[in-house]
Amino acid sequence: MTALVKIRSERDQMSAVERRIADFILENAQLLRDYSSQQLANALGISQSSVVKFTQKLGFKGYPDLKYAVGEAMARADNGDAAVVVAQHDGDATESGSGLWRRKSEAEEATRLINPSETLDAATHAIAAAGKVFVVGLGEDDIPARAFTFKLSMLGMLVLHSFDMARMTASVSGAESGDVLVVFSEHGNHPALCKIARQFRDRRGRVVTVTRHTSNPVRALADIALLVSAHDEREYIQSLVYQSALQHLLDGIFIHLCENDEKRHAALMANLERIQLLHEP
């Protein structure tokens, strides 16, 4: 993991001061080699000790080690080995497209790093072993929820999806031990989703949450928490980056479900064939 990817993946868990330091480094990585820890502190209007604590929290012995690691990451980017430099928005369509691609790549890598294989395996196993899978998401979160529901259905799994809280409450009343509820909530702070998750756990079902890499009420109720890391100072770009990283995460789970069970793979092939027949005259 490069220093810049590590900073980006841990940003959501940082304090306000730490996020200011992180954002400065991410946006001005090429300038960091000319800054001492005191100069960086002065530029941000914080204490030098805050900079030192920030570097140590990331696992570096000191600020010089952080500078070296960032410089190494920049050198790799210059050689085309990694996309870690933040593109500056200058109105040029080609550059903007390239910058978006880099942002998405960075978010996908950071998301992969904060979801260890053990967590992904646990989520995949829980969904695969469930008698019924319940899927819920509100607002924009319902878009990936619908897509994930469709993919699971294509594998021949019994999936119940709803964006209506009253209907989902009624559905959850029929949940049994071993069933799984997948909750999509980017910011994880919707009270209704928390209530649904608690009701599901009362039925001895397992809760899988998909949220940003932050401490939030929905994630706190998870048996298995899937996390997404995506950042950009422009809100409209950050939304695109989040969706891309989330889709990459879900695609990985779908592939594991498909490839690790011949019956599910056969169901997928059969359903694809049926859908193809619908389009024929």
Side-chain angles (χ1 to χ4, degrees):
M1 185 192 318
T2 69
L4 296 181
V5 170
K6 185 174 181 62
I7 292 172
R8 188 171 291 107
S9 66
E10 295 295 327
R11 183 185 180 280
D12 284 340
Q13 299 286 63
M14 295 178 180
S15 66
V17 172
E18 291 168 344
R19 284 197 298 272
R20 288 178 60 194
I21 301 172
D23 290 342
F24 183 90
I25 295 174
L26 291 171
E27 295 167 13
N28 303 278
Q30 70 278 10
L31 303 177
L32 195 64
R33 63 185 179 184
D34 299 322
Y35 277 70
S36 66
S37 59
Q38 185 61 64
Q39 288 172 323
L40 177 57
N42 292 341
L44 293 172
I46 60 177
S47 66
Q48 184 181 22
S49 63
S50 295
V51 175
V52 175
K53 290 177 181 177
F54 172 83
T55 61
Q56 293 174 341
K57 187 173 182 179
L58 287 173
F60 296 98
K61 292 182 179 179
Y63 179 74
D65 290 330
L66 173 62
K67 281 180 59 173
Y68 178 82
V70 170
E72 187 178 54
M74 294 292 294
R76 289 179 57 193
D78 291 340
N79 290 331
D81 294 332
V84 292
V85 183
V86 178
Q88 298 299 318
H89 180 66
D90 59 5
D92 180 80
T94 301
E95 180 61 22
S96 295
S98 176
L100 178 59
W101 180 87
R102 285 195 289 268
R103 274 305 206 190
K104 287 183 176 181
S105 297
E106 293 163 359
E108 289 170 6
E109 183 179 1
T111 297
R112 177 178 58 82
L113 292 170
I114 61 177
N115 290 281
S117 59
E118 295 82 4
T119 298
L120 295 178
D121 289 344
T124 302
H125 178 74
I127 293 171
K132 299 183 294 294
V133 179
F134 299 75
V135 181
V136 63
L138 299 177
E140 289 191 9
D141 291 309
D142 185 52
I143 298 174
R146 285 176 180 266
F148 193 58
T149 296
F150 176 73
K151 283 186 168 63
L152 296 185
S153 298
M154 290 290 285
L155 295 175
M157 304 179 72
L158 179 56
V159 190
L160 294 86
H161 162 267
S162 181
F163 59 88
D164 183 281
M165 291 297 95
R167 182 176 297 179
M168 180 54 74
T169 297
S171 298
V172 164
S173 66
E176 300 174 344
S177 177
D179 288 347
V180 168
L181 171 68
V182 184
V183 182
F184 287 84
S185 181
E186 179 177 354
H187 300 290
N189 54 15
H190 200 291
L193 293 176
C194 292
K195 292 177 182 178
I196 291 290
R198 291 192 187 96
Q199 291 169 14
F200 199 83
R201 297 190 70 174
D202 289 342
R203 305 293 300 182
R204 297 188 178 180
R206 304 194 70 190
V207 176
V208 177
T209 61
V210 186
T211 71
R212 279 187 173 273
H213 184 30
T214 58
S215 297
N216 58 72
V218 169
R219 177 184 174 184
L221 294 168
D223 294 293
I224 304 169
L226 299 176
L227 307 172
V228 179
S229 176
H231 309 288
D232 195 277
E233 64 276 8
R234 296 160 289 176
E235 288 295 329
Y236 60 95
I237 296 295
Q238 181 166 252
S239 175
L240 298 175
V241 172
Y242 176 84
Q243 293 167 21
S244 177
L246 171 59
Q247 189 60 57
H248 191 73
L249 175 64
L250 297 177
D251 286 347
I253 293 176
F254 171 74
I255 290 172
H256 282 297
L257 287 169
C258 180
E259 294 183 344
N260 293 338
D261 188 281
E262 293 183 1
K263 185 177 180 180
R264 287 194 293 268
H265 185 269
L268 174 63
M269 294 298 102
N271 282 325
L272 288 174
E273 184 176 350
R274 293 188 186 98
I275 292 174
Q276 181 62 37
L277 290 173
L278 292 176
H279 297 129
E280 295 180 359

